[in-house]
Amino acid sequence: MLIVPEALIADLVSPEDAYEAVAATFAAMARGEAYNFPVVREALGEGRQYGFKSGLDRAGGMLGVKAGGYFPGNMARGITNHQSTVYLFDPDTGRPVAMVGGNLLTALRTAAASALSIDRLARKDARVLGIVGAGHQAGFQLRAAVRVRKWERVIAWNLHPEMLPKLAEVAAELGLPFEAVGLERMVEAEAIITITSSPAASLMAAHVSPGTHLACMGTDTKGKQEVQPALVGKARLFTDEVAQSVSIGEAQHAVAAGMVSDADIVPLGAVLTGADAGRRSEAEITLFDGTGVGLQDLAVAAVAVQRARERGLGVEVSV
Ligand code: NAD
């Protein structure tokens, strides 16, 4: 099996690669060619979470699991709060194929999913991007979003304002005017990305204008929440995986409140295959509930393995 360490990933997988891999995976899921296994996610105490996301893409020859979690104390130790590793297996034999560092891959595949939703669901004339959150993932989200629309400016809010300058640096690097704003100013945005680890809603229905696209990317566990359920209830809902959206995604709260059910939520893959037309009007609020699926992880890890093999990189071991 090939070990592809974290340090190699940046040279092996680009944001464009991640975008293509995630789009192909969502489409394969929508065609029923690939499926995710139920997520295992456990609280370890003191805010730490650990779990396993896995799946099978038979046509793509991918079987595997991402083991990883969220360790909020890591920043103080100089390492990122997310720590994960992807393991790939041969779907015909079960033999291990590769072990791949999953930290950068997670950020790339998450930002790719968000950008994909913006590309397919936001209005074509969207020019103001709102970001709620300014942690590790936020910069990746912004970098991916610039690839799919011609943004004229970025407005951002974060509960901890001292984290915003780092996001402002990314915007400056991308040549985009950046302004830290109160949540009430999010009405100026035509697309809003939420990427926080919040346990309670920050973004309310009153903060969002008609016609806005929301990419809600932070809620990936039971108990997290970024958006007011009433906003979820009035939006047209899309997701990566319906089963995850209603249980560990942003929709969990609106489902619990009886405002929406599984039948109201469309897999983004159905938009990619043309089975669903996506946005129906300029005034509709669309919301992508990006919960993060195992198949996304396998898809980007497979790209890393293929590139590493082509270039003779990584460490081959017998197991
Ligand atoms: P981080 O720890 O670097 O940053 C956390 C962010 O959440 C910061 O912006 C912080 O200010 C904000 N925050 C913390 N407590 C809050 C509260 N009570 N109210 C509002 N905001 C609060 O985390 P990160 O790596 O940027 O990840 C952000 C979130 O995205 C996490 O919840 C993570 O689990 C999730 N995530 C989801 C996916 C996916 O596929 N959907 C993938 C990766 C990460």
Side-chain angles (χ1 to χ4, degrees), residues 25-75:
T25 293
F26 285 173
M29 284 162 54
R31 288 193 298 264
E33 294 167 2
Y35 69 103
N36 296 287
F37 305 158
V39 174
V40 174
R41 189 92 167 158
E42 291 291 320
L44 304 184
E46 293 160 0
R48 291 170 297 158
Q49 302 271 343
Y50 202 73
F52 305 93
K53 286 185 170 176
S54 50
L56 169 67
D57 180 343
R58 206 171 274 288
M62 286 185 287
L63 170 69
V65 59
K66 179 170 82 172
Y70 186 70
F71 300 81
N74 280 6
M75 281 291 214

mmCIF file of all heavy atoms in Angstrom, residues 25-75:
data_model
loop_
_atom_site.group_PDB
_atom_site.id
_atom_site.type_symbol
_atom_site.label_atom_id
_atom_site.label_comp_id
_atom_site.label_asym_id
_atom_site.label_seq_id
_atom_site.Cartn_x
_atom_site.Cartn_y
_atom_site.Cartn_z
ATOM 1 N N THR A 25 -18.241 12.815 -8.166
ATOM 2 C CA THR A 25 -18.750 11.972 -7.081
ATOM 3 C C THR A 25 -20.224 12.252 -6.803
ATOM 4 O O THR A 25 -21.026 11.321 -6.650
ATOM 5 C CB THR A 25 -17.913 12.218 -5.808
ATOM 6 O OG1 THR A 25 -16.602 11.730 -6.059
ATOM 7 C CG2 THR A 25 -18.485 11.509 -4.607
ATOM 8 N N PHE A 26 -20.588 13.529 -6.731
ATOM 9 C CA PHE A 26 -22.000 13.861 -6.473
ATOM 10 C C PHE A 26 -22.889 13.320 -7.598
ATOM 11 O O PHE A 26 -23.993 12.830 -7.351
ATOM 12 C CB PHE A 26 -22.187 15.383 -6.341
ATOM 13 C CG PHE A 26 -21.702 15.963 -5.037
ATOM 14 C CD1 PHE A 26 -21.680 17.341 -4.834
ATOM 15 C CD2 PHE A 26 -21.268 15.154 -3.995
ATOM 16 C CE1 PHE A 26 -21.245 17.892 -3.628
ATOM 17 C CE2 PHE A 26 -20.825 15.688 -2.790
ATOM 18 C CZ PHE A 26 -20.810 17.059 -2.617
ATOM 19 N N ALA A 27 -22.382 13.404 -8.828
ATOM 20 C CA ALA A 27 -23.166 12.899 -9.960
ATOM 21 C C ALA A 27 -23.294 11.370 -9.871
ATOM 22 O O ALA A 27 -24.375 10.812 -10.113
ATOM 23 C CB ALA A 27 -22.516 13.313 -11.276
ATOM 24 N N ALA A 28 -22.211 10.698 -9.502
ATOM 25 C CA ALA A 28 -22.251 9.227 -9.363
ATOM 26 C C ALA A 28 -23.235 8.824 -8.264
ATOM 27 O O ALA A 28 -23.976 7.843 -8.399
ATOM 28 C CB ALA A 28 -20.851 8.692 -9.055
ATOM 29 N N MET A 29 -23.260 9.603 -7.174
ATOM 30 C CA MET A 29 -24.224 9.326 -6.094
ATOM 31 C C MET A 29 -25.651 9.470 -6.612
ATOM 32 O O MET A 29 -26.523 8.648 -6.323
ATOM 33 C CB MET A 29 -23.995 10.295 -4.916
ATOM 34 C CG MET A 29 -22.778 9.966 -4.065
ATOM 35 S SD MET A 29 -22.237 11.372 -3.042
ATOM 36 C CE MET A 29 -23.710 11.790 -2.166
ATOM 37 N N ALA A 30 -25.887 10.529 -7.404
ATOM 38 C CA ALA A 30 -27.243 10.783 -7.917
ATOM 39 C C ALA A 30 -27.685 9.689 -8.886
ATOM 40 O O ALA A 30 -28.869 9.363 -8.969
ATOM 41 C CB ALA A 30 -27.297 12.152 -8.595
ATOM 42 N N ARG A 31 -26.716 9.111 -9.598
ATOM 43 C CA ARG A 31 -27.048 8.032 -10.545
ATOM 44 C C ARG A 31 -27.162 6.686 -9.834
ATOM 45 O O ARG A 31 -27.449 5.675 -10.459
ATOM 46 C CB ARG A 31 -25.969 7.946 -11.635
ATOM 47 C CG ARG A 31 -26.004 9.093 -12.634
ATOM 48 C CD ARG A 31 -25.123 8.785 -13.857
ATOM 49 N NE ARG A 31 -23.727 8.613 -13.466
ATOM 50 C CZ ARG A 31 -22.809 9.581 -13.514
ATOM 51 N NH1 ARG A 31 -23.143 10.767 -13.945
ATOM 52 N NH2 ARG A 31 -21.579 9.338 -13.139
ATOM 53 N N GLY A 32 -26.896 6.668 -8.538
ATOM 54 C CA GLY A 32 -26.992 5.424 -7.764
ATOM 55 C C GLY A 32 -25.797 4.507 -7.959
ATOM 56 O O GLY A 32 -25.837 3.332 -7.587
ATOM 57 N N GLU A 33 -24.708 5.049 -8.496
ATOM 58 C CA GLU A 33 -23.514 4.219 -8.732
ATOM 59 C C GLU A 33 -22.586 4.190 -7.520
ATOM 60 O O GLU A 33 -21.665 3.389 -7.461
ATOM 61 C CB GLU A 33 -22.726 4.783 -9.927
ATOM 62 C CG GLU A 33 -23.465 4.691 -11.238
ATOM 63 C CD GLU A 33 -22.805 5.534 -12.320
ATOM 64 O OE1 GLU A 33 -21.757 6.157 -12.053
ATOM 65 O OE2 GLU A 33 -23.372 5.578 -13.420
ATOM 66 N N ALA A 34 -22.810 5.117 -6.617
ATOM 67 C CA ALA A 34 -21.931 5.226 -5.449
ATOM 68 C C ALA A 34 -22.786 5.592 -4.249
ATOM 69 O O ALA A 34 -23.779 6.303 -4.391
ATOM 70 C CB ALA A 34 -20.888 6.321 -5.694
ATOM 71 N N TYR A 35 -22.407 5.075 -3.095
ATOM 72 C CA TYR A 35 -23.173 5.440 -1.910
ATOM 73 C C TYR A 35 -22.290 5.533 -0.670
ATOM 74 O O TYR A 35 -21.218 4.929 -0.598
ATOM 75 C CB TYR A 35 -24.357 4.496 -1.696
ATOM 76 C CG TYR A 35 -24.004 3.083 -1.296
ATOM 77 C CD1 TYR A 35 -24.138 2.671 0.024
ATOM 78 C CD2 TYR A 35 -23.545 2.164 -2.227
ATOM 79 C CE1 TYR A 35 -23.818 1.378 0.398
ATOM 80 C CE2 TYR A 35 -23.233 0.872 -1.865
ATOM 81 C CZ TYR A 35 -23.367 0.486 -0.550
ATOM 82 O OH TYR A 35 -23.039 -0.791 -0.181
ATOM 83 N N ASN A 36 -22.757 6.337 0.262
ATOM 84 C CA ASN A 36 -22.040 6.550 1.515
ATOM 85 C C ASN A 36 -22.598 5.633 2.577
ATOM 86 O O ASN A 36 -23.802 5.381 2.634
ATOM 87 C CB ASN A 36 -22.203 8.003 1.964
ATOM 88 C CG ASN A 36 -21.562 8.961 0.982
ATOM 89 O OD1 ASN A 36 -20.344 9.050 0.911
ATOM 90 N ND2 ASN A 36 -22.381 9.649 0.195
ATOM 91 N N PHE A 37 -21.711 5.139 3.433
ATOM 92 C CA PHE A 37 -22.159 4.323 4.554
ATOM 93 C C PHE A 37 -22.554 5.269 5.699
ATOM 94 O O PHE A 37 -22.107 6.421 5.720
ATOM 95 C CB PHE A 37 -21.042 3.384 5.021
ATOM 96 C CG PHE A 37 -20.470 2.505 3.931
ATOM 97 C CD1 PHE A 37 -19.197 1.953 4.064
ATOM 98 C CD2 PHE A 37 -21.188 2.225 2.769
ATOM 99 C CE1 PHE A 37 -18.654 1.146 3.068
ATOM 100 C CE2 PHE A 37 -20.652 1.413 1.771
ATOM 101 C CZ PHE A 37 -19.383 0.880 1.918
ATOM 102 N N PRO A 38 -23.349 4.774 6.653
ATOM 103 C CA PRO A 38 -23.730 5.653 7.766
ATOM 104 C C PRO A 38 -22.502 6.210 8.501
ATOM 105 O O PRO A 38 -21.513 5.502 8.683
ATOM 106 C CB PRO A 38 -24.542 4.729 8.679
ATOM 107 C CG PRO A 38 -25.073 3.679 7.761
ATOM 108 C CD PRO A 38 -24.002 3.458 6.733
ATOM 109 N N VAL A 39 -22.614 7.463 8.875
ATOM 110 C CA VAL A 39 -21.497 8.146 9.548
ATOM 111 C C VAL A 39 -21.436 7.727 11.018
ATOM 112 O O VAL A 39 -22.458 7.609 11.687
ATOM 113 C CB VAL A 39 -21.696 9.678 9.464
ATOM 114 C CG1 VAL A 39 -20.644 10.421 10.285
ATOM 115 C CG2 VAL A 39 -21.670 10.133 8.020
ATOM 116 N N VAL A 40 -20.222 7.498 11.482
ATOM 117 C CA VAL A 40 -20.013 7.287 12.917
ATOM 118 C C VAL A 40 -19.345 8.548 13.447
ATOM 119 O O VAL A 40 -18.345 9.002 12.884
ATOM 120 C CB VAL A 40 -19.089 6.066 13.180
ATOM 121 C CG1 VAL A 40 -18.759 5.952 14.663
ATOM 122 C CG2 VAL A 40 -19.721 4.795 12.644
ATOM 123 N N ARG A 41 -19.914 9.145 14.473
ATOM 124 C CA ARG A 41 -19.356 10.398 14.997
ATOM 125 C C ARG A 41 -19.554 10.368 16.505
ATOM 126 O O ARG A 41 -20.684 10.203 16.989
ATOM 127 C CB ARG A 41 -20.116 11.574 14.371
ATOM 128 C CG ARG A 41 -19.534 12.916 14.654
ATOM 129 C CD ARG A 41 -18.564 13.329 13.571
ATOM 130 N NE ARG A 41 -18.235 14.748 13.701
ATOM 131 C CZ ARG A 41 -17.151 15.291 13.203
ATOM 132 N NH1 ARG A 41 -16.289 14.561 12.540
ATOM 133 N NH2 ARG A 41 -16.917 16.574 13.347
ATOM 134 N N GLU A 42 -18.485 10.483 17.255
ATOM 135 C CA GLU A 42 -18.575 10.387 18.707
ATOM 136 C C GLU A 42 -17.965 11.617 19.364
ATOM 137 O O GLU A 42 -16.925 12.124 18.912
ATOM 138 C CB GLU A 42 -17.810 9.143 19.201
ATOM 139 C CG GLU A 42 -18.455 7.821 18.820
ATOM 140 C CD GLU A 42 -19.758 7.566 19.550
ATOM 141 O OE1 GLU A 42 -19.855 7.876 20.754
ATOM 142 O OE2 GLU A 42 -20.701 7.060 18.908
ATOM 143 N N ALA A 43 -18.618 12.083 20.416
ATOM 144 C CA ALA A 43 -18.057 13.180 21.204
ATOM 145 C C ALA A 43 -17.029 12.594 22.164
ATOM 146 O O ALA A 43 -17.311 11.605 22.856
ATOM 147 C CB ALA A 43 -19.167 13.880 21.971
ATOM 148 N N LEU A 44 -15.823 13.176 22.165
ATOM 149 C CA LEU A 44 -14.765 12.667 23.041
ATOM 150 C C LEU A 44 -14.651 13.498 24.321
ATOM 151 O O LEU A 44 -13.818 13.223 25.161
ATOM 152 C CB LEU A 44 -13.413 12.690 22.323
ATOM 153 C CG LEU A 44 -13.289 11.944 20.998
ATOM 154 C CD1 LEU A 44 -11.844 11.993 20.497
ATOM 155 C CD2 LEU A 44 -13.727 10.494 21.128
ATOM 156 N N GLY A 45 -15.480 14.517 24.440
ATOM 157 C CA GLY A 45 -15.408 15.397 25.603
ATOM 158 C C GLY A 45 -14.591 16.636 25.297
ATOM 159 O O GLY A 45 -13.760 16.641 24.383
ATOM 160 N N GLU A 46 -14.841 17.701 26.048
ATOM 161 C CA GLU A 46 -14.133 18.982 25.899
ATOM 162 C C GLU A 46 -14.165 19.486 24.458
ATOM 163 O O GLU A 46 -13.184 20.041 23.952
ATOM 164 C CB GLU A 46 -12.686 18.857 26.387
ATOM 165 C CG GLU A 46 -12.589 18.617 27.879
ATOM 166 C CD GLU A 46 -11.249 18.031 28.290
ATOM 167 O OE1 GLU A 46 -10.392 17.804 27.426
ATOM 168 O OE2 GLU A 46 -11.085 17.783 29.484
ATOM 169 N N GLY A 47 -15.302 19.258 23.782
ATOM 170 C CA GLY A 47 -15.488 19.773 22.431
ATOM 171 C C GLY A 47 -14.839 18.941 21.338
ATOM 172 O O GLY A 47 -14.946 19.257 20.157
ATOM 173 N N ARG A 48 -14.134 17.880 21.731
ATOM 174 C CA ARG A 48 -13.480 17.059 20.702
ATOM 175 C C ARG A 48 -14.478 16.071 20.099
ATOM 176 O O ARG A 48 -15.320 15.516 20.808
ATOM 177 C CB ARG A 48 -12.300 16.288 21.308
ATOM 178 C CG ARG A 48 -11.139 17.182 21.708
ATOM 179 C CD ARG A 48 -10.118 16.421 22.516
ATOM 180 N NE ARG A 48 -10.731 15.949 23.764
ATOM 181 C CZ ARG A 48 -10.265 14.937 24.473
ATOM 182 N NH1 ARG A 48 -9.214 14.268 24.067
ATOM 183 N NH2 ARG A 48 -10.871 14.568 25.588
ATOM 184 N N GLN A 49 -14.356 15.883 18.793
ATOM 185 C CA GLN A 49 -15.240 14.964 18.059
ATOM 186 C C GLN A 49 -14.366 14.012 17.259
ATOM 187 O O GLN A 49 -13.333 14.420 16.726
ATOM 188 C CB GLN A 49 -16.105 15.742 17.052
ATOM 189 C CG GLN A 49 -16.977 16.826 17.647
ATOM 190 C CD GLN A 49 -18.331 16.286 18.075
ATOM 191 O OE1 GLN A 49 -18.731 15.204 17.657
ATOM 192 N NE2 GLN A 49 -19.023 17.029 18.906
ATOM 193 N N TYR A 50 -14.795 12.762 17.146
ATOM 194 C CA TYR A 50 -14.052 11.828 16.301
ATOM 195 C C TYR A 50 -15.020 10.944 15.553
ATOM 196 O O TYR A 50 -16.086 10.586 16.082
ATOM 197 C CB TYR A 50 -13.093 10.957 17.126
ATOM 198 C CG TYR A 50 -11.984 10.393 16.281
ATOM 199 C CD1 TYR A 50 -10.958 11.209 15.840
ATOM 200 C CD2 TYR A 50 -11.982 9.051 15.885
ATOM 201 C CE1 TYR A 50 -9.942 10.714 15.029
ATOM 202 C CE2 TYR A 50 -10.968 8.553 15.077
ATOM 203 C CZ TYR A 50 -9.949 9.388 14.658
ATOM 204 O OH TYR A 50 -8.951 8.909 13.850
ATOM 205 N N GLY A 51 -14.675 10.589 14.314
ATOM 206 C CA GLY A 51 -15.622 9.759 13.580
ATOM 207 C C GLY A 51 -15.058 9.187 12.297
ATOM 208 O O GLY A 51 -13.869 9.336 11.986
ATOM 209 N N PHE A 52 -15.947 8.510 11.582
ATOM 210 C CA PHE A 52 -15.573 7.796 10.367
ATOM 211 C C PHE A 52 -16.605 8.070 9.287
ATOM 212 O O PHE A 52 -17.801 7.927 9.527
ATOM 213 C CB PHE A 52 -15.502 6.287 10.646
ATOM 214 C CG PHE A 52 -14.590 5.958 11.795
ATOM 215 C CD1 PHE A 52 -15.099 5.845 13.088
ATOM 216 C CD2 PHE A 52 -13.229 5.829 11.591
ATOM 217 C CE1 PHE A 52 -14.258 5.584 14.153
ATOM 218 C CE2 PHE A 52 -12.379 5.567 12.661
ATOM 219 C CZ PHE A 52 -12.894 5.447 13.943
ATOM 220 N N LYS A 53 -16.122 8.494 8.119
ATOM 221 C CA LYS A 53 -17.001 8.679 6.962
ATOM 222 C C LYS A 53 -16.497 7.742 5.879
ATOM 223 O O LYS A 53 -15.297 7.750 5.562
ATOM 224 C CB LYS A 53 -16.966 10.134 6.487
ATOM 225 C CG LYS A 53 -17.734 11.075 7.412
ATOM 226 C CD LYS A 53 -17.812 12.492 6.889
ATOM 227 C CE LYS A 53 -18.801 13.298 7.734
ATOM 228 N NZ LYS A 53 -18.865 14.711 7.343
ATOM 229 N N SER A 54 -17.391 6.945 5.312
ATOM 230 C CA SER A 54 -16.934 5.906 4.397
ATOM 231 C C SER A 54 -17.941 5.709 3.283
ATOM 232 O O SER A 54 -19.068 6.204 3.345
ATOM 233 C CB SER A 54 -16.726 4.602 5.173
ATOM 234 O OG SER A 54 -17.874 4.317 5.953
ATOM 235 N N GLY A 55 -17.532 4.965 2.274
ATOM 236 C CA GLY A 55 -18.455 4.725 1.166
ATOM 237 C C GLY A 55 -17.855 3.826 0.110
ATOM 238 O O GLY A 55 -16.679 3.415 0.198
ATOM 239 N N LEU A 56 -18.672 3.533 -0.883
ATOM 240 C CA LEU A 56 -18.267 2.680 -2.003
ATOM 241 C C LEU A 56 -18.697 3.325 -3.310
ATOM 242 O O LEU A 56 -19.862 3.704 -3.472
ATOM 243 C CB LEU A 56 -18.933 1.298 -1.878
ATOM 244 C CG LEU A 56 -18.810 0.377 -3.099
ATOM 245 C CD1 LEU A 56 -17.369 -0.054 -3.327
ATOM 246 C CD2 LEU A 56 -19.703 -0.862 -2.924
ATOM 247 N N ASP A 57 -17.749 3.468 -4.224
ATOM 248 C CA ASP A 57 -18.042 3.898 -5.589
ATOM 249 C C ASP A 57 -17.558 2.752 -6.474
ATOM 250 O O ASP A 57 -16.371 2.657 -6.785
ATOM 251 C CB ASP A 57 -17.306 5.206 -5.903
ATOM 252 C CG ASP A 57 -17.589 5.705 -7.322
ATOM 253 O OD1 ASP A 57 -18.082 4.903 -8.149
ATOM 254 O OD2 ASP A 57 -17.310 6.873 -7.592
ATOM 255 N N ARG A 58 -18.483 1.874 -6.843
ATOM 256 C CA ARG A 58 -18.077 0.668 -7.551
ATOM 257 C C ARG A 58 -17.521 1.010 -8.936
ATOM 258 O O ARG A 58 -16.459 0.520 -9.320
ATOM 259 C CB ARG A 58 -19.262 -0.315 -7.660
ATOM 260 C CG ARG A 58 -18.797 -1.748 -7.791
ATOM 261 C CD ARG A 58 -19.942 -2.721 -7.683
ATOM 262 N NE ARG A 58 -20.277 -3.111 -6.327
ATOM 263 C CZ ARG A 58 -19.520 -3.914 -5.583
ATOM 264 N NH1 ARG A 58 -18.389 -4.392 -6.046
ATOM 265 N NH2 ARG A 58 -19.899 -4.236 -4.370
ATOM 266 N N ALA A 59 -18.246 1.900 -9.646
ATOM 267 C CA ALA A 59 -17.790 2.260 -10.994
ATOM 268 C C ALA A 59 -16.421 2.948 -10.930
ATOM 269 O O ALA A 59 -15.554 2.717 -11.774
ATOM 270 C CB ALA A 59 -18.817 3.177 -11.652
ATOM 271 N N GLY A 60 -16.231 3.792 -9.912
ATOM 272 C CA GLY A 60 -14.969 4.515 -9.790
ATOM 273 C C GLY A 60 -13.877 3.688 -9.124
ATOM 274 O O GLY A 60 -12.744 4.137 -8.967
ATOM 275 N N GLY A 61 -14.215 2.458 -8.687
ATOM 276 C CA GLY A 61 -13.223 1.579 -8.059
ATOM 277 C C GLY A 61 -12.737 2.093 -6.719
ATOM 278 O O GLY A 61 -11.574 1.913 -6.358
ATOM 279 N N MET A 62 -13.638 2.722 -5.957
ATOM 280 C CA MET A 62 -13.215 3.298 -4.678
ATOM 281 C C MET A 62 -14.007 2.733 -3.503
ATOM 282 O O MET A 62 -15.245 2.755 -3.511
ATOM 283 C CB MET A 62 -13.408 4.814 -4.685
ATOM 284 C CG MET A 62 -12.383 5.547 -5.519
ATOM 285 S SD MET A 62 -12.579 7.326 -5.381
ATOM 286 C CE MET A 62 -14.045 7.602 -6.327
ATOM 287 N N LEU A 63 -13.285 2.220 -2.537
ATOM 288 C CA LEU A 63 -13.867 1.799 -1.262
ATOM 289 C C LEU A 63 -12.938 2.352 -0.191
ATOM 290 O O LEU A 63 -11.717 2.251 -0.325
ATOM 291 C CB LEU A 63 -13.903 0.265 -1.174
ATOM 292 C CG LEU A 63 -14.257 -0.341 0.184
ATOM 293 C CD1 LEU A 63 -15.716 -0.081 0.532
ATOM 294 C CD2 LEU A 63 -13.973 -1.843 0.189
ATOM 295 N N GLY A 64 -13.501 2.947 0.847
ATOM 296 C CA GLY A 64 -12.601 3.468 1.855
ATOM 297 C C GLY A 64 -13.289 4.244 2.954
ATOM 298 O O GLY A 64 -14.519 4.311 3.012
ATOM 299 N N VAL A 65 -12.436 4.795 3.805
ATOM 300 C CA VAL A 65 -12.943 5.496 4.985
ATOM 301 C C VAL A 65 -12.028 6.677 5.323
ATOM 302 O O VAL A 65 -10.813 6.589 5.139
ATOM 303 C CB VAL A 65 -13.043 4.515 6.190
ATOM 304 C CG1 VAL A 65 -11.681 3.900 6.513
ATOM 305 C CG2 VAL A 65 -13.609 5.187 7.422
ATOM 306 N N LYS A 66 -12.639 7.756 5.764
ATOM 307 C CA LYS A 66 -11.839 8.824 6.379
ATOM 308 C C LYS A 66 -12.048 8.751 7.876
ATOM 309 O O LYS A 66 -13.189 8.773 8.350
ATOM 310 C CB LYS A 66 -12.241 10.205 5.874
ATOM 311 C CG LYS A 66 -11.389 11.293 6.572
ATOM 312 C CD LYS A 66 -11.565 12.653 5.961
ATOM 313 C CE LYS A 66 -12.807 13.349 6.482
ATOM 314 N NZ LYS A 66 -12.869 14.753 6.032
ATOM 315 N N ALA A 67 -10.960 8.592 8.590
ATOM 316 C CA ALA A 67 -11.011 8.611 10.050
ATOM 317 C C ALA A 67 -10.490 9.958 10.495
ATOM 318 O O ALA A 67 -9.419 10.383 10.065
ATOM 319 C CB ALA A 67 -10.135 7.491 10.614
ATOM 320 N N GLY A 68 -11.264 10.637 11.305
ATOM 321 C CA GLY A 68 -10.764 11.934 11.712
ATOM 322 C C GLY A 68 -11.704 12.670 12.629
ATOM 323 O O GLY A 68 -12.782 12.172 12.966
ATOM 324 N N GLY A 69 -11.314 13.844 12.991
ATOM 325 C CA GLY A 69 -12.167 14.587 13.907
ATOM 326 C C GLY A 69 -11.714 16.019 14.096
ATOM 327 O O GLY A 69 -10.869 16.539 13.351
ATOM 328 N N TYR A 70 -12.299 16.596 15.099
ATOM 329 C CA TYR A 70 -12.153 18.024 15.365
ATOM 330 C C TYR A 70 -11.663 18.183 16.802
ATOM 331 O O TYR A 70 -12.297 17.690 17.741
ATOM 332 C CB TYR A 70 -13.523 18.687 15.178
ATOM 333 C CG TYR A 70 -13.515 20.188 15.274
ATOM 334 C CD1 TYR A 70 -12.932 20.962 14.275
ATOM 335 C CD2 TYR A 70 -14.111 20.835 16.349
ATOM 336 C CE1 TYR A 70 -12.928 22.340 14.359
ATOM 337 C CE2 TYR A 70 -14.119 22.214 16.440
ATOM 338 C CZ TYR A 70 -13.524 22.960 15.445
ATOM 339 O OH TYR A 70 -13.530 24.322 15.522
ATOM 340 N N PHE A 71 -10.511 18.842 16.941
ATOM 341 C CA PHE A 71 -9.858 18.962 18.247
ATOM 342 C C PHE A 71 -9.617 20.441 18.510
ATOM 343 O O PHE A 71 -8.582 20.997 18.083
ATOM 344 C CB PHE A 71 -8.549 18.169 18.244
ATOM 345 C CG PHE A 71 -8.749 16.701 17.971
ATOM 346 C CD1 PHE A 71 -8.910 16.237 16.673
ATOM 347 C CD2 PHE A 71 -8.811 15.786 19.009
ATOM 348 C CE1 PHE A 71 -9.117 14.896 16.411
ATOM 349 C CE2 PHE A 71 -9.018 14.439 18.761
ATOM 350 C CZ PHE A 71 -9.177 13.988 17.452
ATOM 351 N N PRO A 72 -10.573 21.113 19.198
ATOM 352 C CA PRO A 72 -10.512 22.577 19.270
ATOM 353 C C PRO A 72 -9.266 23.130 19.953
ATOM 354 O O PRO A 72 -8.924 24.294 19.749
ATOM 355 C CB PRO A 72 -11.783 22.950 20.052
ATOM 356 C CG PRO A 72 -12.398 21.694 20.528
ATOM 357 C CD PRO A 72 -11.752 20.549 19.835
ATOM 358 N N GLY A 73 -8.535 22.308 20.718
ATOM 359 C CA GLY A 73 -7.330 22.816 21.387
ATOM 360 C C GLY A 73 -6.094 22.810 20.495
ATOM 361 O O GLY A 73 -5.029 23.297 20.886
ATOM 362 N N ASN A 74 -6.218 22.272 19.285
ATOM 363 C CA ASN A 74 -5.018 22.083 18.452
ATOM 364 C C ASN A 74 -4.338 23.373 18.024
ATOM 365 O O ASN A 74 -3.118 23.419 17.904
ATOM 366 C CB ASN A 74 -5.375 21.275 17.195
ATOM 367 C CG ASN A 74 -5.445 19.790 17.476
ATOM 368 O OD1 ASN A 74 -5.340 19.365 18.612
ATOM 369 N ND2 ASN A 74 -5.643 19.006 16.436
ATOM 370 N N MET A 75 -5.154 24.410 17.744
ATOM 371 C CA MET A 75 -4.591 25.693 17.273
ATOM 372 C C MET A 75 -3.475 26.155 18.209
ATOM 373 O O MET A 75 -2.425 26.605 17.766
ATOM 374 C CB MET A 75 -5.686 26.759 17.211
ATOM 375 C CG MET A 75 -6.576 26.667 16.003
ATOM 376 S SD MET A 75 -5.736 27.074 14.480
ATOM 377 C CE MET A 75 -7.074 27.834 13.583
#
